Amino acid sequence: MKGNPIAGSVRALVALVSLFLLVACGENSPPSGADAEPSITVYSSRKEHLIKPLFDLYTAKTGVAIRYITDSAGPLIARLEAEGASTPADILMTVDAGNLWQAAEQGLFRNLESPTLSSNIPAHLRSESNQWFGLSIRARTIVYATNKLSADELSTYEDLADPKWQARLCLRTSKKVYNQSLVATMISSLGEAQAEGIVAGWVANLATDPFSSDTTMMEAIAAGQCDLGIANTYYFGRMKKADPSLNLALFWPNQSDRGVHINISGAGVTTHAKRPEAAQALLEWLSSPEAQGQLAELNQEFPANPLVKASEEILAWGDFKADKVNVEAAGRLQAAAVRLMDRVDYR
Ligand code: FE
């Protein structure tokens, strides 16, 4: 065959393809063990136990392997930015619209044209330019000590600024993006001046310094250090699961006006994704009824796809009206929220 130009071309092509495959595998090599299957890489601030069961299911269905790195949102966003075009990440998955908005601002997501995502995920739970999409919903609501208060004494987030709550309120630190997003959406709905007056009232009502986590804050409420606070529903769910007799209950505020503040966990396909079509297909599947129930249930959250019902455990907390403001406001007004909280000395 020596000298046969066609065979030579075939050999050259095979060599070229082999080289390409080697490069492709090398570039996408997981931290442990190689994988010949087509694969996508996810940077996730969601913990492994919340994503792995779904990724395993997807791999079993499609043969597409999913590699992932988990870390906090800040370091993952910084890493994506530093890696630029050489990033192995096809998807960034994180919590809070404030974080997703930041990543989009830094140009880390691409616009997706996906009728599936646009129909599965309501418009107020995704970016206007379709760069990121909510995949689960958490409510940030009032939690109160059932041995101190009854639900009929509670009404709105604004009411927590009333002097009747003096030395009775607990809050998590303003450094946490969850509170920045809550205040940002209050600015969006009420205007900056009114929002500032309310947050100043909260600070005046604090029983003690802000807490580093929703859980430690709720432990303080349960222990009697204060009577009520504001927390994400899944932290409440975890505590109640561990101790069903715990003297804490949820209250849904603002039911006669804008509704309860909700936020999302979500994801987008990175600007420099090596497998953007495969990455988009994974996001589409995660938004589908097949994945949504399990995705939400793993962290006691609400499905983002309105066709999917929450778990029995979650439904037991009672139905509520959610704020329909686009969660993108949480990012757009984040800097204003941080400045506002600084001005009123919310630490
Ligand atoms: Fe959280």
Side-chain angles (χ1 to χ4, degrees):
M1 298 287 274
K2 201 174 182 182
N4 179 333
I6 295 173
S9 299
V10 169
R11 272 197 303 274
L13 189 64
V14 168
L16 197 64
V17 167
S18 305
L19 182 66
F20 170 76
L21 286 175
L22 268 176
V23 169
C25 288
E27 189 172 81
N28 286 319
S29 275
S32 60
D35 194 335
E37 294 296 318
S39 73
I40 44 188
T41 300
V42 180
Y43 282 5
S44 171
S45 82
R46 307 228 76 190
K47 301 241 162 56
E48 182 173 22
H49 69 277
L50 301 178
I51 53 174
K52 189 173 185 299
L54 282 154
F55 288 175
D56 287 349
L57 186 57
Y58 189 73
T59 301
K61 276 175 61 79
T62 63
V64 176
I66 302 170
R67 292 157 180 163
Y68 52 86
I69 289 168
T70 62
D71 201 340
S72 305
L76 287 178
I77 290 171
R79 181 172 175 163
L80 260 178
E81 195 164 38
E83 288 170 340
S86 68
T87 188
D90 298 296
I91 288 175
L92 172 66
M93 180 178 279
T94 187
V95 296
D96 205 285
N99 288 330
L100 291 159
W101 183 87
Q102 280 294 346
E105 275 294 288
Q106 292 172 37
L108 301 175
F109 288 130
R110 62 175 67 201
N111 295 19
L112 298 188
E113 293 298 329
S114 168
T116 302
L117 282 164
S118 297
S119 82
N120 284 346
I121 306 301
H124 69 288
L125 303 178
R126 52 183 156 89
S127 80
E128 273 173 44
S129 50
N130 289 320
Q131 296 206 346
W132 47 262
F133 299 82
L135 294 173
S136 66
I137 298 172
R138 60 274 303 278
R140 190 155 187 78
T141 194
I142 295 175
V143 177
Y144 66 97
T146 50
N147 56 328
K148 299 266 196 73
L149 296 176
S150 62
D152 57 17
E153 294 172 77
L154 298 165
S155 58
T156 61
Y157 296 104
E158 292 87 319
D159 175 64
L160 301 183
D162 189 285
K164 73 180 178 220
W165 299 115
Q166 195 163 23
R168 298 169 75 185
L169 180 67
C170 274
L171 289 177
R172 184 178 187 164
T173 173
S174 67
K175 308 284 180 288
K176 184 67 188 179
V177 69
Y178 301 161
N179 283 330
Q180 296 167 6
S181 291
L182 169 64
V183 172
T185 57
M186 284 169 60
I187 294 172
S188 171
S189 300
L190 306 171
E192 188 149 342
Q194 201 186 333
E196 182 160 344
I198 293 155
V199 180
W202 292 354
V203 173
N205 286 337
L206 286 178
T208 184
D209 289 341
F211 291 82
S212 62
S213 78
D214 283 14
T215 303
T216 51
M217 186 203 70
M218 281 188 281
E219 284 166 356
I221 298 170
Q225 202 177 353
C226 41
D227 297 355
L228 75 175
I230 299 172
N232 279 4
T233 40
Y234 55 91
Y235 293 116
F236 169 85
R238 264 179 231 172
M239 287 178 73
K240 286 293 258 192
K241 198 168 192 170
D243 178 8
S245 69
L246 198 64
N247 59 325
L248 294 178
L250 293 177
F251 177 80
W252 306 123
N254 297 77
Q255 293 303 282
S256 54
D257 49 69
R258 68 185 181 278
V260 177
H261 169 68
I262 56 164
N263 211 309
I264 54 169
S265 81
V269 176
T270 64
T271 303
H272 298 293
K274 304 298 178 287
R275 299 178 190 273
E277 292 83 13
Q280 180 171 328
L282 172 60
L283 292 192
E284 287 171 346
W285 180 74
L286 288 171
S287 76
S288 73
E290 185 184 5
Q292 277 283 296
Q294 195 182 348
L295 188 143
E297 193 167 359
L298 282 165
N299 193 37
Q300 297 195 52
E301 291 180 275
F302 303 89
N305 184 331
L307 296 177
V308 180
K309 265 176 66 174
S311 69
E312 289 298 323
E313 228 170 356
I314 301 291
L315 290 173
W317 298 343
D319 203 11
F320 65 92
K321 175 182 168 185
D323 193 344
K324 282 286 201 303
V325 67
N326 194 309
V327 289
E328 198 158 35
R332 199 167 28 84
L333 292 164
Q334 186 181 73
V338 169
R339 286 194 301 271
L340 184 157
M341 291 192 284
D342 205 45
R343 284 198 297 277
V344 301
D345 225 17
Y346 178 7
R347 299 300 175 198

